[in-house]
Amino acid sequence: MLFVAMSALQGRPMSKAFDELRGLGVAIQLTPGNHVTPGFREHVAASGVVTRAHHGFAWDARRVETWVDGACVVASESVHPPTTDSPSAATWWAWFERATARPVLETMYPGYTLGDGAAIERLMDLGITLAVDISHVFIQRTQGAMTEATWRRLMAYDRIAEVHVSANGGEHDAHRPLTETTFGLAWARERFAEGMPTVLECYMHKLDAGERRRQLDLLAS
């Protein structure tokens, strides 16, 4: 199933962003970063649109902390692990190992506790379910934090719950629009064709309706 992330219109009121994106006719990933609007939960329920929550999303706050005292305190389907300088960095894994309802962990980039290929390899060795963000993988690859062998293993990994897609220049998570040469796009298309929940995360603030549609077509072609 194809999703578009509400972060595509980050900074806009929740209901306005949601309604603009549902006009694309796809499911929506609920993400932090939009301004709260009253009755948004009811608005989403009445829309009939399929949704899934990500990281620090909350119905009544622009964003909430995901990790507190080493524990994941949100009910999102997928989350970022803590940053390496977070108070939870040293304790979150012990909580995760004990948890009976584990969130899906997203592959990140240097500066996060799952920000390098060695950490991703350990999770695959343990059979941990992952959300693979190809733009984050590209940052790892560009910065020498992940080998080609690890990327190939990750592409073949059989415990992936979501694929997140956007583009960047390899330095930071820029959420640029896709092009035909975007890193990992062909693999993301294959996973989408197999029925994998696939989330388009590029910023759309400056894209017109036709350009937004072309972004979806690039991913779903």
Side-chain angles (χ1 to χ4, degrees), residues 13-36:
M14 287 179 173
S15 292
K16 178 175 174 55
F18 182 86
D19 288 344
E20 280 193 49
L21 296 174
R22 74 169 172 165
L24 295 169
V26 296
I28 294 179
Q29 184 192 62
L30 304 172
T31 57
N34 294 92
H35 295 291
V36 175

Side-chain angles (χ1 to χ4, degrees), residues 49-70:
V49 174
V50 174
T51 63
R52 60 198 296 127
H54 178 60
H55 198 49
F57 170 78
W59 298 102
D60 55 358
R62 187 168 183 179
R63 62 174 52 84
V64 295
E65 290 295 328
T66 302
W67 298 92
V68 176
D69 296 330

Side-chain angles (χ1 to χ4, degrees), residues 110 115-117 137-147 170:
D116 59 67
V137 171
F138 183 58
I139 295 171
Q140 287 197 38
R141 297 282 290 121
T142 302
Q143 297 185 8
M146 178 185 286
T147 65

Side-chain angles (χ1 to χ4, degrees), residues 124-138:
M124 290 191 289
D125 288 344
L126 294 169
I128 303 299
T129 302
L130 299 173
V132 176
D133 187 311
I134 63 170
S135 68
H136 296 172
V137 171
F138 183 58

